Amino acid sequence: MNQIAAGEVVDRPAAALKELLENSLDAGARSVSVDLSEGGVRRMRVADDGAGIEQDDLPLAVARFATSKIATIEDLERAATLGFRGEALASIGAVARLAIVSRRTDAKHAYRIACEAGEVSAVEPAALAAGTTVEVEDLYFNTPARRKFLKSEATEYARCEEAFTRIALSRPEVAFALTHNGRRSAHMPPEGARERAARLLGDDFAASAVAVDSQGARARLAGLIAAPGFTRANRDAQFLYVNGRFVRDKVAAHAIREAYADVLHHDRHPAYVLFLEIDPALVDVNVHPAKSEVRFRDSSAVHQFVFHTLSRALATPGVHQKPGTDPGFPPGGKLGSVPGFAQAGFAMAQPVAAYASMFETAVADERRAVPVAAEATQSPPLGYALAQLHGVYVLAQNAAGLVMVDMHAAHERIVYEGLKEALDATTLPSQPLLVPISVTATPEEIEQAAAGRVELETLGFDVAASGPRELLIRAVPALLADLDAPGLLRSVLREMGEFGASRVLVERRNELLSTMACHAAVRANRALTVAEMNALLRQMERTEFAGSCNHGRPTWVQFPMADLDRLFMRGR
Ligand SMILES: Nc1ncnc2c1ncn2[C@@H]1O[C@H](COP(=O)(O)OP(=O)(O)O)[C@@H](O)[C@H]1O
Ligand SMILES: [Mg+2]
């Protein structure tokens, strides 16, 4: 095989490792161990306990375009396994010293084949208990140009570790081990998805993550997403798999970001491990040689499916953030480390009908300010108010114990969701411009504007072509009249083209509403009556996203009785 082409397929050690790991999984391995030396360049060994390779098939395994995974052209379309082009081993063998030892379960012993710079050896008997062991030595020894592109040992190793993590995260039922230069850096038994995520992304992520699972007509999205309070300063905890394969996909990434837009501070990033299973006929995985990108036949449907699934999950009141770091209560932060000391989810996700005065229900609640203990078991999720602390927190008693509410943050969220809800129900009010604005536009933009006319109108825009390269804006969304209309229109048209729908406007509008809500919400240091506090609690229970304020901070925290008891060493 041509060494230049081979270098494209395995452009660095991590790419070779990924191919070997995928082969092991395709062979049904239950346990895979990886041994690397000097960042994988000097040596890379992947041993699995999978089905193994037949003696006669060994030469085929290292031959180009030989694959055991495709029988027909339809298979190529559906490509259910990870590998399917029969290129990886041949490519590795062209630019390294490759040796494969394998034993089928029914074979009397193992066989070995080697391939060095493309020269394939004869098949010989060898010793191996079961499965397949692939060894790659001196990567790029015969292609100095490629070797020059390698980064430091530490960098190449980090990339290998990343490739390893992506695969290990996607297959928690398989055991994995990793060593580098003789030192063990990971060892994981078969386990559940949450355990595997805890191991690789941290206990904090796993403990607070919300499980999602949504079935569409021809797709399913499942996995774990971080609660808004557990976001990151960078994108390094974002794992999306399409039909089992790790990918970077901008359609899905955009949909995920949008779903978090309301609960995330703009310089924070969500963390997630998501698996999208989609009818293989609806996705093209051969866009990229490493198959790390995909193209969806209907990207707008995928965008909507992902966006709605995550929005729904995040909207559930009580999408809990474990206080962990926040409350400095009690001194020493002892409570924060008690397991189970987290907001309990409550199964109730009714949107607010419309924004109404938060004190509306005050009278009805007045009589039952503090229920007796027996009654507390049937109390509403957030319980009944007891008192107000320093004008900042509402203390309430619920079935589980003590609830503390940040009243400003909570009210802000309620006001905000109310405003949004009221506006979502109708089309955005439009404001005609006295002097229409003409904008130069590309033919695609003009076409998009014509095709999306109705949608643009519901967003408050009135736009028409006024020449082959010109659009005329005759009306703009009233709420956003002060913003840069041509810029806004371009973003909207681009999103409509790319994702089939635009949320740019809704987002801008929400930013404004969020500011309005912040000003409208009850300020700290305002004394509330018990009735007012109860009204606030009831309103929170009815509000979507009530678990966190518009800036992603938690709005309430549960202190279970058991944890309080432990503080006072009761019941031991
Ligand atoms: N670890 C393994 N266990 C069993 N069979 C393997 C393993 N690695 C490779 N093979 C066999 O070698 C063939 C070629 O592998 P590869 O070059 O990666 O191509 P592909 O995975 O696209 O088929 C595979 O189709 C498979 O039959
Ligand atoms: Mg393969």
Side-chain angles (χ1 to χ4, degrees):
M1 175 181 194
N2 176 326
Q3 288 157 3
I4 296 176
E8 302 292 310
V9 181
V10 281
D11 62 350
R12 49 182 8 115
L17 177 59
K18 168 178 175 277
E19 296 290 345
L20 299 183
L21 289 171
E22 290 184 346
N23 281 346
S24 294
L25 295 176
D26 283 347
R30 309 312 301 162
S31 170
V32 182
S33 68
V34 180
D35 225 324
L36 304 174
S37 300
E38 297 173 24
V41 181
R42 173 71 200 87
R43 186 162 163 275
M44 169 180 304
R45 205 180 95 216
V46 175
D48 68 50
D49 62 352
I53 308 171
E54 204 88 54
Q55 177 187 1
D56 296 344
D57 288 344
L58 276 172
L60 288 176
V62 295
R64 197 173 179 207
F65 299 134
T67 174
S68 60
K69 296 167 193 172
I70 306 267
T72 64
I73 274 293
E74 291 85 77
D75 278 354
L76 191 56
E77 279 247 301
R78 273 184 271 106
T81 55
L82 296 170
F84 53 81
R85 295 208 295 199
E87 260 184 321
L89 289 179
S91 300
I92 295 170
V95 294
R97 299 181 226 277
L98 168 73
I100 306 171
V101 180
S102 189
R103 179 174 180 175
R104 298 273 309 175
T105 19
D106 50 3
K108 281 208 220 48
H109 53 82
Y111 291 91
R112 176 180 190 273
I113 195 167
C115 181
E116 190 170 317
E119 290 293 321
V120 182
S121 77
V123 175
E124 288 169 357
L128 184 73
T132 302
T133 297
V134 179
E135 199 159 78
V136 180
E137 286 188 333
D138 301 319
L139 200 55
Y140 311 124
F141 78 97
N142 59 336
T143 48
R146 183 56 68 179
R147 204 167 53 226
K148 271 218 298 277
F149 278 110
L150 291 176
K151 299 277 186 335
S152 69
E153 175 179 332
T155 304
E156 295 302 340
Y157 174 67
R159 296 217 164 116
C160 287
E161 201 174 28
E162 187 179 59
F164 175 86
T165 299
R166 286 172 182 170
I167 286 185
L169 202 48
S170 73
R171 300 294 294 271
E173 77 285 6
V174 176
F176 285 93
L178 175 65
T179 66
H180 186 222
N181 295 337
R183 276 228 301 284
R184 186 154 102 177
S185 70
H187 185 84
M188 40 201 109
E191 56 199 340
R194 216 176 259 271
E195 288 74 35
R196 186 58 61 89
R199 201 183 289 279
L200 294 167
L201 300 184
D203 291 334
D204 281 355
F205 169 79
S208 76
V210 184
V212 300
D213 191 352
S214 159
Q215 179 73 56
R218 298 174 80 179
R220 175 178 176 194
L221 183 67
L224 295 170
I225 62 174
F230 272 80
T231 55
R232 305 249 176 159
N234 55 38
R235 284 173 230 272
D236 64 3
Q238 306 190 337
F239 296 86
L240 171 71
Y241 301 83
V242 173
N243 292 347
R245 186 189 304 284
F246 177 89
V247 297
R248 302 193 171 286
D249 176 63
K250 66 181 168 57
V251 172
H254 185 268
I256 294 168
R257 200 111 211 118
E258 298 255 278
Y260 271 94
D262 260 358
V263 289
L264 204 61
H265 201 270
H266 53 262
D267 57 0
R268 304 290 298 170
H269 298 278
Y272 50 82
V273 182
L274 284 171
F275 300 93
L276 177 66
E277 299 298 329
I278 183 165
D279 182 338
L282 299 181
V283 59
D284 180 4
V285 296
N286 274 322
V287 186
H288 190 267
K291 308 173 200 102
S292 58
E293 280 170 35
V294 293
R295 192 171 298 131
F296 298 112
R297 293 270 153 89
D298 185 350
S299 55
S300 123
V302 170
H303 190 274
Q304 279 174 30
F305 180 55
V306 172
F307 173 77
H308 287 298
T309 301
L310 265 61
S311 299
R312 224 177 304 126
L314 290 169
T316 308
V319 161
H320 15 276
Q321 40 290 106
K322 197 172 70 160
T325 48
D326 5 332
F329 169 79
K334 216 155 139 207
L335 259 186
S337 57
V338 176
F341 172 58
Q343 289 188 4
F346 44 83
M348 201 190 296
Q350 287 165 11
V352 217
Y355 178 57
S357 157
M358 71 170 272
F359 303 121
E360 202 179 58
T361 50
V363 182
D365 280 338
E366 191 122 42
R367 257 160 291 127
R368 28 182 334 164
V370 184
V372 289
E375 214 181 332
T377 47
Q378 294 127 34
S379 75
L382 291 177
Y384 293 105
L386 301 167
Q388 196 181 8
L389 185 68
H390 286 292
V392 178
Y393 299 106
V394 170
L395 306 184
Q397 169 181 321
N398 70 356
L402 175 70
V403 170
M404 269 179 89
V405 175
D406 176 334
M407 71 185 205
H408 173 70
H411 192 218
E412 185 181 323
R413 173 55 81 181
I414 290 169
V415 172
Y416 172 60
E417 290 301 327
L419 289 172
K420 263 196 337 192
E421 191 71 31
L423 282 178
D424 282 346
T426 57
T427 57
L428 291 182
S430 178
Q431 176 175 314
L433 295 173
L434 286 178
V435 185
I437 305 173
S438 89
V439 200
T440 49
T442 64
E444 294 80 54
E445 286 172 332
I446 292 179
E447 200 184 309
Q448 191 58 249
R453 203 186 158 80
V454 174
E455 197 192 352
L456 283 171
E457 273 167 16
T458 63
L459 294 172
F461 266 117
D462 179 0
V463 179
S466 53
R469 297 201 150 256
E470 197 181 65
L471 283 172
L472 203 61
I473 308 180
R474 291 188 294 229
V476 295
L479 253 179
L480 304 170
D482 296 337
L483 296 177
D484 156 39
L488 205 55
L489 177 65
R490 283 208 188 89
S491 316
V492 169
L493 291 176
R494 182 163 29 80
E495 286 215 327
M496 284 167 61
E498 240 171 89
F499 308 117
S502 178
R503 294 196 34 95
V504 174
L505 280 186
V506 175
E507 251 172 42
R508 293 287 146 74
R509 187 203 71 186
N510 287 353
E511 274 166 29
L512 278 183
L513 294 186
S514 162
T515 315
M516 285 162 58
C518 187
H519 290 292
V522 280
R523 294 273 134 205
N525 294 322
R526 164 136 145 34
L528 297 184
T529 66
V530 166
E532 285 175 328
M533 291 189 273
N534 279 327
L536 177 65
L537 297 174
R538 299 296 78 77
Q539 198 104 43
M540 284 173 68
E541 287 157 358
R542 265 180 277 133
T543 301
E544 287 193 85
F545 298 103
S548 54
C549 81
N550 308 351
H551 309 296
R553 291 192 307 267
T555 53
W556 62 279
V557 165
Q558 172 85 61
F559 297 82
M561 281 305 277
D563 294 342
L564 295 173
D565 289 347
R566 218 166 302 153
L567 263 188
F568 295 96
M569 299 176 196
R570 278 177 72 100
R572 294 231 175 131

